[in-house]
Amino acid sequence: MSSEFAAIIEVGARDGLQNETQFVPTDVKIHFIQLLKDAGFKEMELTSFVSPKWVPQMQDSTEIVKVFQDETRNIVLTPNEKGIDAARALNCEAIAVFVGVSNTFNQKNINKTTSESINQLKPLLLKQKQDDVFIRACISTSFYCPYEGKIEEKETLSLCEQFVEAGVDELSVADTIGMANPKEVHSLFTRLKNAFPHILLTGHFHDTRGMALANIYAALEAGVYRFDSSAGGLGGCPFAKGATGNIATEDVVFMLHQMGIKTGIDLNKVLEAVSFIEKYVSRKIESKHFNLKTLTNI
């Protein structure tokens, strides 16, 4: 572990809110995002260009994107050609796509196999790279699948290699159902670092079983210094039964700062953002640092 800085990609506004059954008003989302930007985030997932029929929470993606046309990396999820076209029509310069390593997960999610998904995406991504668009590839079920169980490392490496061939800038490697352990995380990320030394590698951990912080530490030991996190620990996966929220941003930032690793994030301002959004979401905020701060005021 040698770096003195770790990058945190805030995903609360997109991944964190997408599964909320009650629509969060657009002005609330905008204020939430602005509070997070004020906390110092330079990379954020803002929204998703998906069908409102399937993800009603993201029906206001156009309005949100129009507000945030700043110099930071504002990432929007674009699962298909229609989504990519919609994002690019609004001059979005950073997009995210996703494919699960597991065939069953993909079929239940987007009704395509893994190979069908990546083969359809490749020409679209190569075209976007010609326009210098930043492309983030989200690799779901990189460790375990809720339907197929343990995923072999070689399968995850193979999918990542195909994305790299398509010109992506970043691989966000996800423990979608929160079953990975630190030994597995260290092993996979070590292999990914060796295989793709010039690609941005990001760890995306869910805290379903309370292992996310330990897994982040294992990724740090493997030389990874980029992590997705969600303010308040909001989020989950609608196509992965039992997958609870992402690791809470405030818990990750607190741990890194205590270890002497800088993030550029103001922890108190993150807590302000969590306190604001808490009254608009259905689930209880369970992050350790938020509840400790609320109870003890320290």
Side-chain angles (χ1 to χ4, degrees), residues 79-81 98-121 124 148:
N80 51 37
E81 185 173 10
F98 66 90
V99 175
V101 182
S102 155
N103 273 312
T104 308
F105 179 83
N106 272 310
Q107 288 168 332
K108 288 183 177 292
N109 193 338
I110 53 178
N111 202 31
K112 295 182 180 69
T113 66
T114 298
S115 60
E116 288 171 343
S117 300
I118 188 66
N119 288 336
Q120 286 187 10
L121 279 173
L124 301 176
E148 297 182 11

Side-chain angles (χ1 to χ4, degrees), residues 100 113 138 147 180 190 225 235 245 271 284 286:
T113 66
C138 302
Y147 312 105
T190 297
Y225 291 90
L271 294 173
K284 183 178 182 293
E286 296 179 343

Side-chain angles (χ1 to χ4, degrees), residues 27 70 92 99 104 112 117 119 122 136 166 181 192 195 232 241 280 285:
D27 62 332
D70 55 39
C92 295
V99 175
T104 308
K112 295 182 180 69
S117 300
N119 288 336
K122 274 184 176 179
R136 165 181 170 91
N181 65 57
L192 288 168
K241 185 178 180 180
Y280 297 100
I285 302 295

Side-chain angles (χ1 to χ4, degrees), residues 7-9 11-12 15-16 45 136 138-144 156 171-190 192 201-237 242-249 251-252 255-256 283:
I8 307 296
I9 298 87
V11 302
D15 198 0
E45 283 190 359
R136 165 181 170 91
C138 302
I139 315 297
S140 302
T141 60
S142 295
F143 297 91
Y144 288 86
T156 301
L171 295 168
S172 174
V173 180
D175 179 22
T176 305
I177 58 174
M179 278 196 66
N181 65 57
K183 184 177 180 179
E184 293 167 328
V185 169
H186 187 275
S187 177
L188 178 60
F189 274 107
T190 297
L192 288 168
L201 280 177
T202 302
H204 182 110
F205 298 106
H206 285 235
D207 207 30
T208 313
R209 294 163 180 81
M211 297 285 280
L213 285 178
N215 286 335
I216 286 174
Y217 186 84
L220 287 167
E221 289 281 288
V224 173
Y225 291 90
R226 291 175 59 84
F227 301 99
D228 293 343
S229 64
S230 174
L234 298 175
C237 179
T244 54
N246 299 289
I247 184 62
T249 299
D251 290 345
V252 176
M255 182 184 81
L256 293 174
R283 62 174 295 174

